Amino acid sequence: AQKITQTQPGMFVQEKEAVTLDCTYDTSDPSYGLFWYKQPSSGEMIFLIYQGSYDQQNATEGRYSLNFQKARKSANLVISASQLGDSAMYFCAMRDRTILGGNEKLTFGTGTRLTIIP
Amino acid sequence: DGGITQSPKYLFRKEGQNVTLSCEQNLNHDAMYWYRQDPGQGLRLIYYSQIVNDFQKGDIAEGYSVSREKKESFPLTVTSAQKNPTAFYLCASSIGFGSVPYPADEQYFGPGTRLTVT
């Protein structure tokens, strides 16, 4: 089974609207971390936001927030008031210890390409 | 400016030749990583290193080699044994679990090197 699933290959959103990018994960480790990265066309991966499995509150960083639903094993990224510069690939990733070297390894989803329409 | 540099941005090689990709960081991070990204896919871990003079294989290490002689540097050699070397290669670093509790420790990425082998 996929450890990280991003079911939206592409999304188109009007500028200034909010957008939710879906991410579901699979792990039996009670302690794990979830990360979101943005990859513009230049290729560099930009860290956006982190959520630990034991964190009591949903993570927020400026216009980014993480809708963490532990029982459903979902960690959706919400971008408020989208801007043209938000157009990029977005990757969800997880760190857990169910695999060898899991302390260090990040497992990435296949990504969602977000396009903001003026 | 602290960050991760990768050079060159584009690299072309003939089949059968070894090629070394450079990765340097001045963030004073202990941990460094190499990922490969193919079109339409997420990142896959090639090698990682938590401390100088030590490194571990990732999920797709065959046909690659690394060294970690200095904290700042983690070069990747793509050998002629790698069957499909054409890809986008990303280097990353993180503080490391000596300083940051599991499962946090977000990874920061360089701009990437696009390798084409013909």
Side-chain angles (χ1 to χ4, degrees):
Chain A
Q2 290 283 350
K3 291 180 72 69
I4 293 285
T5 302
Q6 295 181 255
T7 56
Q8 307 152 311
M11 286 188 71
F12 292 84
V13 173
Q14 205 74 38
E15 191 180 4
K16 297 189 178 68
E17 289 185 353
V19 56
T20 297
L21 304 180
D22 295 341
C23 173
T24 57
Y25 58 90
D26 184 28
T27 182
S28 56
D29 188 349
S31 178
Y32 53 90
L34 296 155
F35 303 78
W36 276 92
Y37 286 86
K38 172 184 178 180
Q39 187 177 41
S41 56
S42 59
E44 185 172 353
M45 297 282 283
I46 302 166
F47 167 72
L48 296 177
I49 197 167
Y50 163 78
Q51 178 86 43
S53 60
Y54 288 124
D55 292 343
Q56 294 296 312
Q57 295 190 323
N58 287 348
T60 60
E61 288 286 349
R63 292 187 301 113
Y64 304 107
S65 61
L66 207 151
N67 183 4
F68 182 46
Q69 298 186 46
K70 198 168 178 177
R72 300 177 67 177
K73 293 189 174 178
S74 77
N76 298 341
L77 177 71
V78 180
I79 306 174
S80 63
S82 57
Q83 304 170 357
L84 295 178
D86 293 332
S87 294
M89 282 289 288
Y90 288 81
F91 291 93
C92 180
M94 178 175 68
R95 172 180 286 121
D96 72 344
R97 292 171 298 188
T98 58
I99 53 174
L100 186 65
N103 273 355
E104 296 86 10
K105 293 169 73 168
L106 282 180
T107 301
F108 285 82
T110 53
T112 295
R113 182 172 297 282
L114 176 64
T115 303
I116 306 300
I117 305 166
Chain B
D1 264 335
I4 302 172
T5 56
Q6 292 185 244
S7 60
K9 190 159 179 65
Y10 298 95
L11 194 51
F12 299 87
R13 280 293 182 270
K14 294 286 188 187
E15 197 173 316
Q17 292 178 337
N18 291 354
V19 59
T20 298
L21 280 59
S22 164
C23 177
E24 304 277 332
Q25 54 99 0
N26 61 3
L27 300 167
N28 200 32
H29 284 173
D30 285 323
M32 297 187 74
Y33 311 80
W34 273 106
Y35 290 90
R36 169 183 173 136
Q37 186 178 26
D38 293 287
Q41 297 192 28
L43 278 63
R44 291 184 291 168
L45 183 65
I46 304 172
Y47 268 98
Y48 62 98
S49 167
Q50 290 291 316
I51 55 172
V52 174
N53 292 323
D54 186 58
F55 47 82
Q56 306 294 328
K57 290 182 179 180
D59 299 316
I60 55 166
E62 187 175 346
Y64 300 97
S65 66
V66 293
S67 63
R68 186 89 187 274
E69 297 175 1
K70 298 187 299 182
K71 188 175 184 178
E72 304 79 21
S73 178
F74 191 40
L76 173 75
T77 297
V78 184
T79 75
S80 56
Q82 167 52 231
K83 298 272 188 281
N84 297 297
T86 295
F88 186 53
Y89 291 88
L90 285 155
C91 177
S93 72
S94 66
I95 294 174
F97 287 113
S99 305
V100 179
Y102 171 88
D105 192 31
E106 54 264 25
Q107 296 178 9
Y108 295 90
F109 286 79
T113 292
R114 195 168 297 279
L115 173 65
T116 302
V117 176
T118 56

